[in-house]
Structure formats: C-alpha cells, structure tokens
Amino acid sequence: QVQLVESGGGLVQPGGSLRLSCAASGFSFSRSAMSWVRRAPGKGLEWVSSITSSSNGIYADSVKGRFTISRDNAKNTLYLYLNSLKTEDTAMYYCRKDWIPTPSQLRTPPTSQGTQVTVSS
C-alpha cells in the first residue's frame, strides 16, 4: 500500500526559502519516478516538478530556477527545495508516485494530507 507523508511547509515571507519532505513507504521508492504537485486556493492541482529514479529532475516553467527537486533513496524520501518564494507559490503541496501527471491524473484528488506553504509579508 502506497503511503506518502509530506512535511516542512510553513509561513514564509516573499523571497524566503523552505524545504519540503515526502516520506514514502509501501512500494519500491528507489525504482519509482516521483512528482510534486500543488493546489493554490480556489484552483485545481498544478504539476510542479518530477524526478526520475536516477535523480534527473524537470520543472514547470513557473518554478524553474527557483525550486529544486531531489531524493534520498536510502531514506525513501523525496525533497523539494523552494527558494525565492513568491506570494503565488502559496498552496498545499503534495508528492505523488508518478512522472509528470497527465491532466486527467491531476483531476484525481490526492490521497496524502499534503503540507501547506504560505508566502506572505
């Protein structure tokens, strides 16, 4: 049974930084592509970033150059480093076991609880 537990969110000022973590269990994490998605208030799920099993990352244009995805296969943990945060990055962030989810997949509600990031002065 796939279990994903996100943590690390919080309230941060514009320009600040955070590190999100996602603890994974119930599947072969080291062999799985993983993704981060987010849901801003009043909006649908938005893909943020994905990473291959060999740690090759890809990013949405909205976060490219500011966010960094990484993984520690020994710890079964996925990370997302958020830098130069903007108010529009305010959202609930979720991790997923997939590679660049399709629009159809993004319409499926997350099963994990997510972690809230609020960017405000």
Side-chain angles (χ1 to χ4, degrees):
Q1 178 181 351
V2 173
Q3 186 169 12
L4 301 168
V5 180
E6 302 93 342
S7 62
L11 172 63
V12 62
Q13 293 185 340
S17 299
L18 283 173
R19 186 189 77 167
L20 307 184
S21 300
C22 169
S25 61
F27 64 100
S28 180
F29 177 79
S30 63
R31 299 171 68 177
S32 301
M34 299 291 295
S35 295
W36 286 97
V37 299
R38 65 185 181 186
R39 190 197 308 273
K43 297 187 177 181
L45 283 175
E46 174 192 19
W47 171 71
V48 174
S49 180
S50 295
I51 189 168
T52 66
S53 59
S54 55
S55 294
N56 293 307
I58 188 169
Y59 302 91
D61 287 345
S62 58
V63 307
K64 196 175 297 182
R66 301 188 298 119
F67 292 8
T68 301
I69 192 170
S70 69
R71 63 192 300 159
D72 186 334
N73 287 338
K75 296 182 177 180
N76 282 5
T77 302
L78 177 72
Y79 301 100
L80 187 68
Y81 295 83
L82 290 64
N83 297 308
S84 302
L85 280 161
K86 306 175 180 179
T87 55
E88 53 262 45
D89 295 317
T90 294
M92 186 72 79
Y93 285 72
Y94 303 90
C95 59
R96 299 170 55 102
K97 177 183 173 294
D98 57 23
W99 172 257
I100 311 179
T102 65
S104 175
Q105 289 172 321
L106 287 174
R107 285 192 288 270
T108 302
T111 56
S112 55
Q113 88 282 359
T115 187
Q116 177 69 39
V117 172
T118 302
V119 185
S120 175
S121 55

